[in-house]
Each structure stands twice: as C-alpha cells, then as structure tokens.
Amino acid sequence: MNGRVTLQDVADRAGTSRTTAHYVMTGRDQQMRISEEARSRVLRAAAELRYRPNLMARGLRTAVTRTIALVTDSIASEIYAGGLVYGSLTAAAAREHLLFVAESAHDAALESSLIEGLLDRRVDGFLYATLHTRDVELPEALAGQRVVTVNCRATDGSVPSVVPDEEGAGRSAGRVLLDAGHREGVFLVGEPAEHLFAGRERLRGLVAELAAGGTQLAGRVDCSWWPEPAFAAISAWLDTGVRPSALVCLNDRVALGAYQALAEHGLRVPADVSVVSFDDSELASWLRPSLTSVALPHQALAERGVALLLDGQRDPVEHRVPMPLRLRPSVAAPRPA
C-alpha cells in the first residue's frame, strides 16, 4: 500500500464501517456497544496495516496535539547547556509528548516568527528558556498561552518559573571551605554585579554561610567571567604579595584563569590555596587537580519545567532547583601558618 494508511483503509480491511473503526481506535467501542468480534477485526487490521492515527488532525478536533515547544535564545547550539535540551526531550517523551525546539539567536523578529509558526502547529504549551539566568520580557506572541519559563523569570511575574537555587549554591561553596577548616583568607574572584542573577545570588549565599560559621570574606578580586581576565587580575593581585587561603571563583572559566595565575606564582592547588567554583562544566574535571564545583542542574530544570507545563500549572510561582556540589581534590585544609 502506497502513502499513509488511513482509518478508511483499516475499516475496509476489517470489513466494518469507518465509524466503527474510529470508535475502536479511540477506545470508545464499549461505550458504543461494538461487538468483541468487530473490535478484534479492527485491531488486527490496524496492526497488519501498521496504522498510525493522524495526531495533527486529532489535535484540530480536540485542541490537544501532545506537542510542546522549547523556545530558547542560544541553548540549543550551546554544548555547555545541552542538558537543558536533553532534559526537555526526555521529560516530554516520558509523558508521550513530542518536543519542538526553536532557537532565536537573540533575534526578536525571528523569535516572534518561530512562535507564530509553533502556534500554527497548535502546540499545547511553551517552555521559554535562556542560556544565562535572568529576568525576561516574554514575547507578545506568548500572551495568553500556557508558558513556563526555565532558567529565567518573567519580569511581570505572570507565569511559573524554574530557576537554579544560586543562593543555595553559594552556601554550599562556603560550607565546603568551612568544613575544610578555612576561616581566614577566603577571597571571591569574579564580578558579582547586581544585574547578574547568578553572581548576586551566589555571593549572597556565600556571605551568609561564612557568617553562620563565624567568619567573612577577606576581600574580592573583580574580573569578568573568562580565563584571560581572571588570570590577569589574579596575577596582578598576587604580585602585591597577598597570599590567600582559598579562592571562591564565580564560574569554572574564572577558576581556570586562577589555576594558571597561582601556578605562575609558585602556589599549588590545594596545598597552598584551595579553590571552589560554580557551574561544574567539563573544565572542572579536566583541570589538574580536578575542581570542586557546584553544578548547574540544567537537566533537572528542564524536567521540572516540563512537569509544571504538562500538569497545567498556572500559578506564577518561582520554583528553585537545588545545585549539587561536586567534591573534587581542589579543596584541602589550610596550609600551616
């Protein structure tokens, strides 16, 4: 048989009407008092012909297509955040839904066009996600739609959001240093600017945890979150003669720059300086010694978002997902005085 097998083909093979075949294939045969013998013929015919229902057509009738969409700025093409796409795909599949993935590359016009195309396909809801945790203005095209934001929050607080618990991550970083015995000489490396959600929250949690342990940050080394500026800033800082006990780097790229600067100044990790970081990117396990880092839970964020969307969650509640600590050999007890 050429082309797509239709419900009429199943009915013809089973020797029943199309209406009978329809009721059997939609599970309404008992309701319509269809005989067991006719039901068996329809099911056997459907199996022999490998019939698959036209879900798009069914969606037009029922307003449910069992499809959802993930709309992102640059996550789909960013290896670092691949767990968010993977988590969305697997969570949707586990609930027998298909997932459309659309990436705007930060182009507002393209984003609107993509969303309109998805609306034309009658998706049941939208995950709206960003690579970096931040507050966002939702596109006008999503007004009135079922939406859950993932790794971001709507500025008007109109929809449920799922974000990493960055403040809890800061507490974890502080706790691992306190547990190792660090009470003095703990410095923050990075730029915890107020407009950066991750930096702001990580610093807040770190300061709170150190205070609970009876101590505080000894100071900060400000730099952007990349290896080169971190290396330059820390090198210049070490040239002044300061000798830290521990560094809390605001991400793994900063930690890479810190490792290089410490090595150039004859300081060993962790014998001389302990280092803890955030994100748990592949860098964390590649560095030597491997880096203790608090992981961004991209997959868990996506799974929670899919669950909220498909469970029909509409309350504009912020859901915070814990960030697990990955303990590695970059943290040790302070060097003897």
Side-chain angles (χ1 to χ4, degrees), residues 14-29:
T16 67
S17 68
R18 185 184 182 285
T19 300
T20 295
H22 166 73
Y23 286 132
V24 171
M25 298 308 298
T26 56
R28 298 166 62 192
D29 49 290

Side-chain angles (χ1 to χ4, degrees), residues 68-76 84 88 99-104 110-112 114-116 118 123 125-131 139 142 148-150 152:
I68 59 175
L70 171 64
V71 178
T72 81
D73 49 12
S74 57
I75 290 171
L84 203 151
S88 301
L99 178 78
F100 290 102
V101 180
E103 182 171 287
S104 69
L110 174 59
E111 181 179 72
S112 293
L114 291 170
I115 292 172
E116 292 293 347
L118 292 164
V123 297
F126 292 84
L127 300 174
Y128 188 85
T130 56
L131 178 60
L142 290 179
V148 173
T149 59
V150 179
C152 57

Side-chain angles (χ1 to χ4, degrees), residues 126-129 136 138 147-154 159-162:
F126 292 84
L127 300 174
Y128 188 85
V136 297
L138 288 178
V147 179
V148 173
T149 59
V150 179
N151 204 37
C152 57
R153 306 179 300 188
V159 299
S161 63
V162 184

Side-chain angles (χ1 to χ4, degrees), residues 92-290:
R95 302 282 288 264
E96 298 183 336
H97 280 65
L98 292 178
L99 178 78
F100 290 102
V101 180
E103 182 171 287
S104 69
H106 303 277
D107 183 326
L110 174 59
E111 181 179 72
S112 293
S113 176
L114 291 170
I115 292 172
E116 292 293 347
L118 292 164
L119 289 171
D120 289 343
R121 287 164 176 78
R122 298 178 180 265
V123 297
D124 297 333
F126 292 84
L127 300 174
Y128 188 85
T130 56
L131 178 60
H132 302 293
T133 312
R134 57 190 176 92
D135 293 332
V136 297
E137 296 278 353
L138 288 178
E140 290 184 9
L142 290 179
Q145 301 299 317
R146 290 173 55 193
V147 179
V148 173
T149 59
V150 179
N151 204 37
C152 57
R153 306 179 300 188
T155 53
D156 62 2
S158 60
V159 299
S161 63
V162 184
V163 294
D165 183 6
E166 298 282 12
E167 184 172 343
R171 286 185 172 275
S172 294
R175 175 49 49 192
V176 73
L177 291 177
L178 290 171
D179 288 347
H182 294 274
R183 293 294 186 279
E184 298 179 354
V186 177
F187 291 82
L188 181 76
V189 185
E191 183 185 19
E194 187 61 26
H195 69 281
L196 297 175
F197 178 89
R200 179 180 72 241
E201 296 282 305
R202 290 170 186 180
L203 175 59
R204 179 179 298 145
L206 173 64
V207 168
E209 190 65 24
L210 291 178
T215 188
Q216 61 185 359
L217 281 173
R220 279 172 33 187
V221 182
D222 288 346
C223 61
S224 59
W225 296 21
W226 289 93
E228 295 87 348
F231 171 77
I234 296 170
S235 292
W237 177 64
L238 292 173
D239 285 342
T240 67
V242 66
R243 289 297 178 263
S245 176
L247 298 180
V248 180
C249 299
L250 282 175
N251 72 6
D252 298 338
R253 295 187 297 270
V254 169
L256 170 58
Y259 267 49
Q260 293 172 329
L262 291 169
E264 287 214 351
H265 285 76
L267 298 172
R268 300 163 298 162
V269 177
D272 299 310
V273 181
S274 289
V275 181
V276 63
S277 181
F278 300 90
D279 291 355
D280 193 36
S281 64
E282 290 181 337
L283 274 177
S285 55
W286 289 344
L287 286 170
R288 291 296 177 268
S290 53

